[in-house]
Amino acid sequence: MNWIGFRIFLALVAIGLGALISLSLQAWLKMPVLANLIGVASASVGLLVLDGVRGHRLLSWLRGNQEVSAPRDTGLWGELGYRIERALRLREQALARERLQLQQFLSAIEASPNGVLMLDAQDQIQWCNRVAADHFSLDPQRDLLQRVTNLVRSPAFVDYLHQGLYAEPLLLANPRGPGSLSVIVRSYADGLRLVLSQDVTERERAEAMRRDFVANVSHEIRTPLTVLTGFIETMGSLPLTEAERKRVIVLMEQQTQRMLTLVSDLLTLAQLEGSPRPGGDRWIALDGLLSRVAADAQALSAGRHRISCLAQSQLELAGVESELLSALGNLATNAVRYTPDGGEIEIAWRLQSDGCLQLKVRDTGPGIAKEHLPRLSERFYRVDGSRSRETGGTGLGLSIVKHVMQRHGGSLEIQSELGAGSEFSLIVPAVRVRALAVSNVADGTAAISL
Ligand code: ADP
């Protein structure tokens, strides 16, 4: 029954009761008008009291905790209670959905690798994610509603924020320490602003390295080209004797060779950087590798040095043969180039306690001062530029060696002391080393002199 039907039913019941009361009173009082009045009044009061009780129950529920259900009455009050409760539940659900969406949205911003800072029109922090807190040394809870300009005091940042010219990002020294941040501001809604920050330390470093590299390559190529141009002019303008002409041609050949070596080293580096990591299933005999490197060093030395090589390892290495040969060959070539005549060069191997293989080239050359050691494998870094160029060096050798070893999961280690020779070691990880036949693996003490 709907609430109107129930109301009519209640009214009829009240009328019936009123009539009953009126009839009973008429017999007793003998005053029909008064009896009728009392009957009507009783019926009305009855209806009012019933409505009052049910209305009071609904109001008590509305004033109190609406987590329990509304009073389950029939008729108008029941329908009202049901409708109000339903509207409330629907609103609660919509609110919960919105809260969840907001939470997910904030979590997504929180997960961003970039810093996000929301400011109101007075520069007060409305919200910030952890990355922004880290970038600007803020506390995401404590610093809420604080003016950002009181907390990030960099004049460049404050000016950028206040000038309102946000087309270009601002490059800011990282307030936490070394490095740089790229900061960009976007306005939205009514005076609100979004500050986005990104740590660009690595990008800046890579950009600086790229600039240095281009400058170095240009310099390295320009030098022999200038020399060649000079020789060409000389040959074109001066009458040279046959002997002078031959001498100039030899010098021109040297310069051309220097450029070719440089370009070839650059190509090697580019190739190493661009190709995938070598697999661990191509095995190379270590003894063959050591012998070839030693033979090449011997040829380059042409008897000027005493070269010894321990080539009885019975081991195999997993990797790219040409790359490993070039890495070890580079170390041996350097040893020959930098060690004065009569010096000693040792090419040896050793299995370390952790299973890694050490391939070392030790010489009795001039050695290298400690401050140069960390930078030796940088591109174009030379301790003695003129000595390097004199002996045909490009300054890229150790850089290539380091790349090769990194690609093979290993490393390049350098020990040297000024006046006490140098020891360059390639460390090959244990997973890339295996014995040809376990019983034959010796400690490599049986040196063979070449
Ligand atoms: P370069 O072509 O100049 O030899 P490398 O990258 O091979 O370039 O070596 C970098 C620098 O390290 C060299 O210029 C040289 O000063 C120093 N160096 C390398 N090997 C030796 C060594 N065996 N003894 C002394 N100095 C060395």
Side-chain angles (χ1 to χ4, degrees):
M1 193 191 299
N2 69 18
W3 70 271
I4 297 176
F6 188 72
R7 284 249 113 182
I8 294 170
F9 169 74
L10 269 185
L12 290 175
V13 170
I15 290 169
L17 277 174
L20 260 175
I21 291 169
S22 160
L23 283 174
S24 325
L25 288 177
Q26 273 179 34
W28 186 56
L29 286 175
K30 308 282 183 220
M31 292 172 72
V33 177
L34 184 63
N36 281 344
L37 272 176
I38 293 174
V40 169
S42 314
S44 306
V45 168
L47 272 180
L48 279 175
V49 168
L50 194 63
D51 262 356
V53 169
R54 296 167 80 202
H56 174 74
R57 276 222 307 257
L58 183 60
L59 267 177
S60 307
W61 174 77
L62 274 173
R63 282 188 192 125
N65 166 13
Q66 282 111 43
E67 272 170 19
V68 293
S69 304
R72 290 280 170 256
D73 277 325
T74 40
L76 176 65
W77 295 108
E79 175 103 14
L80 267 177
Y82 169 73
R83 296 283 163 205
I84 293 172
E85 187 183 356
R86 199 162 150 237
L88 275 174
R89 298 285 176 251
L90 286 176
R91 249 187 70 189
E92 275 169 10
Q93 281 170 10
L95 269 175
R97 259 200 315 275
E98 274 169 24
R99 225 174 284 136
L100 182 72
Q101 274 173 356
L102 180 68
Q103 207 49 50
Q104 285 172 344
F105 180 69
L106 290 179
S107 305
I109 304 181
E110 191 64 76
S112 161
N114 298 330
V116 181
L117 190 67
M118 290 173 177
L119 301 180
D120 65 11
Q122 283 76 44
D123 297 342
Q124 287 172 341
I125 299 170
Q126 297 292 302
W127 186 84
C128 77
N129 68 357
R130 237 169 298 148
V131 181
D134 190 38
H135 283 169
F136 296 111
S137 300
L138 301 173
D139 184 319
Q141 303 303 326
R142 192 196 57 209
D143 293 336
L144 282 188
L145 298 179
Q146 300 285 322
R147 270 175 195 267
V148 71
T149 43
N150 291 341
L151 302 168
V152 183
R153 289 173 171 273
S154 153
F157 177 75
V158 177
D159 287 352
Y160 181 70
L161 201 63
H162 289 161
Q163 273 168 6
L165 305 170
Y166 304 139
E168 290 295 320
L170 167 76
L171 199 64
L172 194 67
N174 194 335
R176 272 184 307 118
S180 348
L181 290 179
S182 170
V183 177
I184 192 147
V185 177
R186 289 282 173 264
S187 302
Y188 68 102
D190 212 5
L192 306 184
R193 276 152 307 158
L194 197 65
V195 180
L196 303 167
S197 59
Q198 190 184 13
D199 191 333
V200 290
T201 313
E202 265 312 300
R203 203 173 74 192
E204 288 287 302
R205 207 175 62 85
E207 183 56 28
M209 270 174 65
R210 194 193 61 80
R211 275 196 304 267
D212 283 355
F213 182 67
V214 171
N216 278 325
V217 170
S218 314
H219 174 76
E220 293 290 331
I221 289 183
R222 201 182 49 196
T223 313
L225 273 180
T226 313
V227 178
L228 273 178
T229 315
F231 285 142
I232 290 167
E233 272 173 17
T234 311
M235 286 183 88
S237 57
L238 292 178
L240 299 178
T241 64
E242 187 54 21
E244 283 170 339
R245 204 181 60 85
K246 275 190 180 150
R247 170 89 189 117
V248 166
I249 285 179
V250 169
L251 291 172
M252 285 172 81
E253 247 176 4
Q254 277 174 3
Q255 295 303 323
T256 319
Q257 193 53 48
R258 190 174 148 190
M259 274 198 294
L260 275 177
T261 316
L262 176 69
V263 171
S264 142
D265 277 359
L266 286 171
L267 282 175
T268 307
L269 263 181
Q271 233 167 10
L272 288 174
E273 281 174 349
S275 48
R277 235 180 135 114
D281 52 351
R282 277 191 287 175
W283 292 92
I284 316 151
L286 174 60
D287 294 344
L289 192 85
L290 290 169
S291 303
R292 281 163 69 185
V293 169
D296 287 348
Q298 190 69 49
L300 185 67
S301 162
R304 291 178 291 127
H305 308 90
R306 263 183 299 141
I307 302 175
S308 65
C309 175
L310 306 173
Q312 291 172 339
S313 67
Q314 303 288 304
L315 291 177
E316 283 187 314
L317 303 183
V320 182
E321 187 169 12
S322 57
E323 291 184 15
L324 291 169
L325 195 66
S326 132
L328 195 59
N330 246 307
L331 300 186
T333 309
N334 276 355
V336 173
R337 283 169 50 220
Y338 293 105
T339 305
D341 293 358
E344 278 176 36
I345 294 166
E346 183 197 11
I347 303 167
W349 65 274
R350 187 176 75 88
L351 269 181
Q352 297 180 164
S353 55
D354 58 0
C356 293
L357 175 71
Q358 179 190 13
L359 298 176
K360 72 171 176 186
V361 177
R362 197 181 55 77
D363 64 52
T364 56
I368 304 160
K370 213 164 56 199
E371 66 267 23
H372 295 293
L373 295 183
R375 301 197 58 193
L376 279 190
S377 56
E378 282 177 20
R379 293 165 185 189
F380 298 111
Y381 189 83
R382 294 162 166 120
V383 176
D384 178 351
S386 58
R387 172 101 185 89
S388 159
R389 287 189 188 89
E390 243 171 55
T391 54
T394 58
L396 294 173
L398 291 179
S399 182
I400 292 176
V401 175
K402 193 178 91 178
H403 260 84
V404 168
M405 292 322 292
Q406 279 176 346
R407 278 165 49 71
H408 285 79
S411 57
L412 165 68
E413 287 180 1
I414 308 170
Q415 284 176 6
S416 188
E417 221 176 285
L418 209 54
S422 313
E423 183 178 298
F424 288 77
S425 300
L426 306 183
I427 308 296
V428 183
V431 286
R432 288 186 178 270
V433 183
R434 75 175 181 193
L436 258 180
V438 178
S439 57
N440 287 345
V441 178
D443 187 30
T445 43
I448 52 158
S449 280
L450 295 166

